[in-house]
Amino acid sequence: MSNTIIVGMADYKIGKTPDKLMTAGLGSCIGVCVYDLHEGAAGLAHIMLPSSNGSHAGNLAKYADTCLEMMLEDLYRLGLRKSRLKAKMAGGAQMFSFKGQTPQLKIGERNAEAVERELKKHGIPLLAADVGGTFGRTINFDIKSGELHIRTINHGEKVI
């Protein structure tokens, strides 16, 4: 019997088949799944900000750099091999628009870039992404199939 493991904001969870991983309320945040279909295990992170700026205070699961590092360590502890890991991500919307917007306010875009950079740094291929736009997302990751189900308000559903 499969179980849905809920991942809250600024958190990550690890699951094994037949479980599914789910996070809701992805606006400018990024939901990133790192998985190994051969081992039937995956991690899902709900990342709020691009960088911890070297700080190791507070909730480190909030940042792309520190959260992915912690999640990968947990996946390796389960016996997953780096060479078989793959990733998919969704989110990174521009939820608010301001006239004369500075790049610092484009948090969704910066989050997506930071997650891609971290995956590349760790040698994990990003197979699919559904990022950007001006709408929120809820995602469900099926660990057995590797399918990322994305549900949006007024923009339908898709699977990547």
Side-chain angles (χ1 to χ4, degrees), residues 30-82:
I30 293 283
V32 59
C33 304
V34 177
Y35 62 98
D36 178 342
L37 289 179
H38 181 266
E39 292 293 329
L44 170 62
H46 185 134
I47 293 169
M48 291 177 64
L49 295 167
S51 174
S52 64
N53 293 320
S55 169
H56 291 289
N59 180 3
L60 298 180
K62 188 188 296 188
Y63 309 103
D65 55 348
T66 48
C67 184
L68 276 168
E69 193 78 40
M70 294 185 308
M71 187 168 79
L72 289 173
E73 282 175 24
D74 284 354
L75 290 170
Y76 296 143
R77 260 188 232 112
L78 280 179
L80 273 62
R81 285 198 225 131
K82 184 178 186 174

Side-chain angles (χ1 to χ4, degrees), residues 123-145:
I124 299 167
L126 179 64
L127 298 189
D130 180 44
V131 297
T134 56
F135 50 89
R137 296 165 172 88
T138 291
I139 61 173
N140 275 282
F141 185 73
D142 185 328
I143 299 170
K144 185 175 174 65
S145 69

Side-chain angles (χ1 to χ4, degrees), residues 6 12 21 40 52 62 77 109-110 123 126 139 157 160:
I6 309 291
Y12 73 93
L21 294 160
S52 64
K62 188 188 296 188
R77 260 188 232 112
E109 190 179 307
R110 289 175 47 227
L126 179 64
I139 61 173
E157 294 185 29
I160 60 172

